Amino acid sequence: MNEQQTADVTTPHRVLVLGAGYAGLAAAVQLAARTRRRPDVQVTLVNATERFTERLRLHMAATGQPLAELSVPELLDGTGAEFVQGWVTAVDAAARTVRIDDDRVLRYDTLVYGLGGVPDASAVPGVEEHAHSLAGVPEAETLAARLAEIGGGTVVVVGTGLTGVESAAEIAERYPAADVLLVGRDEPGAAMTAGAAAHLRAALDRLGATVRGATEVVKVLPDAVELAGGETVAADVVLWTGGTRTSPLAAAAGLAVDGSGRILTDSALRSVSHPEVYAVGDAAAVRQGYGVLHGTCQSGMPTGVHAAVSILRTLKGKRPKPFRFGHYHTPVSLGRNDAVVQFTRSDDSPRRIHLTGRTAVRYKETVTASPWPTYGRMKKMPASGAFWPRGGRFTRGTDEAR
């Protein structure tokens, strides 16, 4: 055996996972747990912080409720995976390198791209300068400090999606002296059945939150928001939850992306332009039979697990299986003592059945608390993470590259 052959045998296949969100962490844990006894595979996870962010609880952190300190390096301990703390500042898909904090370069053979979305502060003038967001724990804690400082006043929550509804309800419950206004283009609960949506609206009314649907905020001022049509609403605090954006790094690297900057993938979650790159979670434009998957924890963790399994199959010379996922619920917190859970079909359309009240609260808490124990189980029993709703007929026929 010559020197080159010896090097080929001893050099491990380098798998680099970017982002320790719900999807990226699932990919890293799943892959590391399955290869911990394989010296020919090296898994490295890169994240800006050592702490895992429970994004499902950020609306709670925004009202001063402490979140658990969940350590990513501690979770990876014993798997053989390496953790690198730092900001990803560039990806070179041609050279297969990633730059960290502008002063360190990591090389990869396979890349798992899981740099998910953040609140879009660029769509409307004044958002970045004058509005708060729930981009992470520091931002949520900054908002909590501001709310505690004023104790009341007018709080405008922009965006009637799930984050906006949960935030408005949490703030209204925590600060009953505040005037909470929830503003958005759609009515809260628009994707739910009439009964579930009615419970959601009644809960907001009970908590004292005012809702203005079919309303667009066109500018955020230092002490107000400007609505389409010219009306100005005074605000002591503005929380922006109206939409997200993805990191521009994927497009800058030359990866094929959609109009929102998400990486276009084939049925196995590989980039259609660079098959050595897998995209997971919010960073991926994953097409199913019913359309492009929208990023949530519910779907993000399965994409991470599937990417890990696909990488292993490829390393064994096997063809990866197509990813299939079907939605099954939409749980929404309405403060600490109420919630609504809308059960859905695989294509995310609402079923007739839903839960409300304390039963829904217990269900929502079970869902919110489940990711971290799931990672722990996957670390010990990797196969335990490979179960999720496949979606039946809604997701068939996704074998082709997209």
Side-chain angles (χ1 to χ4, degrees):
M1 182 179 293
N2 60 36
E3 183 177 343
Q4 179 63 45
Q5 289 174 318
T6 302
D8 290 343
V9 170
T10 57
T11 301
H13 185 93
R14 297 161 298 188
V15 181
L16 189 60
V17 182
L18 304 184
Y22 291 105
L25 193 54
V29 172
Q30 183 74 201
L31 189 58
R34 289 177 181 264
T35 60
R36 75 180 88 209
R37 294 183 178 85
R38 289 187 54 172
D40 60 326
V41 179
Q42 174 60 50
V43 180
T44 301
L45 174 61
V46 179
N47 198 56
T49 67
E50 292 188 350
R51 180 178 180 176
F52 173 69
T53 299
E54 291 186 284
R55 304 194 73 84
L56 296 176
R57 295 191 191 273
L58 286 178
H59 61 285
M60 298 167 60
T63 57
Q65 300 172 70
L67 303 186
E69 294 281 349
L70 304 175
S71 170
V72 174
E74 288 181 12
L75 177 67
L76 295 178
D77 187 44
T79 65
E82 179 185 1
F83 177 77
V84 174
Q85 183 177 348
W87 289 95
V88 178
T89 55
V91 176
D92 189 331
R96 298 193 184 186
T97 60
V98 172
R99 185 171 294 276
I100 310 298
D101 290 333
D102 285 328
D103 60 3
R104 181 177 183 182
V105 174
L106 300 180
R107 299 187 178 276
Y108 66 84
D109 300 297
T110 299
L111 181 70
V112 180
Y113 189 101
L115 300 177
V118 296
D120 188 359
S122 63
V124 172
V127 172
E128 189 168 3
E129 297 85 356
H130 307 304
H132 293 266
S133 77
L134 297 183
V137 174
E139 291 82 0
E141 291 177 342
T142 297
L143 173 57
R146 174 60 177 159
L147 291 171
E149 176 187 2
I150 63 173
T154 300
V155 180
V156 176
V157 179
V158 183
T160 48
L162 302 186
T163 302
V165 169
E166 291 191 325
S167 299
E170 207 76 36
I171 294 170
E173 182 177 81
R174 182 81 168 183
Y175 296 99
D179 293 322
V180 179
L181 174 62
L182 177 62
V183 181
R185 296 176 182 175
D186 300 318
E187 294 294 333
M192 297 179 172
T193 60
H199 182 87
L200 186 152
R201 287 295 299 268
L204 291 171
D205 290 342
R206 171 177 51 78
L207 292 170
T210 302
V211 176
R212 290 186 61 171
T215 302
E216 183 179 1
V217 174
V218 296
K219 190 174 184 179
V220 178
L221 304 170
D223 55 0
V225 295
E226 182 180 324
L227 309 181
E231 181 185 355
T232 298
V233 178
D236 298 286
V237 177
V238 177
L239 170 59
W240 188 266
T241 70
T244 61
R245 60 178 174 84
T246 55
S247 169
L249 291 176
L255 299 170
V257 299
D258 68 2
S260 299
R262 296 174 299 179
I263 297 174
L264 296 170
T265 71
D266 67 9
S267 62
L269 305 185
R270 296 172 297 196
S271 162
V272 296
S273 61
H274 295 75
E276 72 281 0
V277 177
Y278 289 75
V280 296
D282 295 348
V286 181
R287 183 168 292 279
Q288 298 287 271
Y290 49 78
V292 177
L293 196 67
H294 62 79
T296 62
C297 171
Q298 178 183 171
S299 59
M301 291 177 68
T303 65
V305 172
H306 189 85
V309 174
S310 295
I311 291 169
L312 286 173
R313 289 184 64 85
T314 301
L315 292 176
K316 293 177 181 179
K318 298 180 180 180
R319 182 181 178 182
K321 296 181 179 180
F323 176 73
R324 294 175 60 185
F325 176 83
H327 297 275
Y328 50 96
H329 66 194
T330 302
V332 186
S333 293
L334 300 169
R336 293 298 85 210
N337 300 302
D338 198 2
V340 59
V341 179
Q342 174 68 69
F343 291 98
T344 66
R345 298 181 181 86
S346 298
D347 64 351
D348 208 28
S349 62
R351 295 183 183 274
R352 287 184 296 176
I353 186 172
H354 65 272
L355 303 176
T356 60
R358 296 300 301 174
T359 301
V361 170
R362 289 190 291 270
Y363 186 102
K364 176 62 162 62
E365 176 55 28
T366 299
V367 170
T368 301
S370 65
W372 195 256
T374 299
Y375 296 135
R377 286 194 299 272
M378 284 199 299
K379 177 179 173 179
K380 299 176 182 178
M381 300 178 294
S384 67
F387 298 95
W388 60 82
R390 263 43 177 200
R393 63 183 176 84
F394 290 97
T395 56
R396 290 178 187 150
T398 60
D399 294 9
E400 311 83 24
R402 302 270 182 181

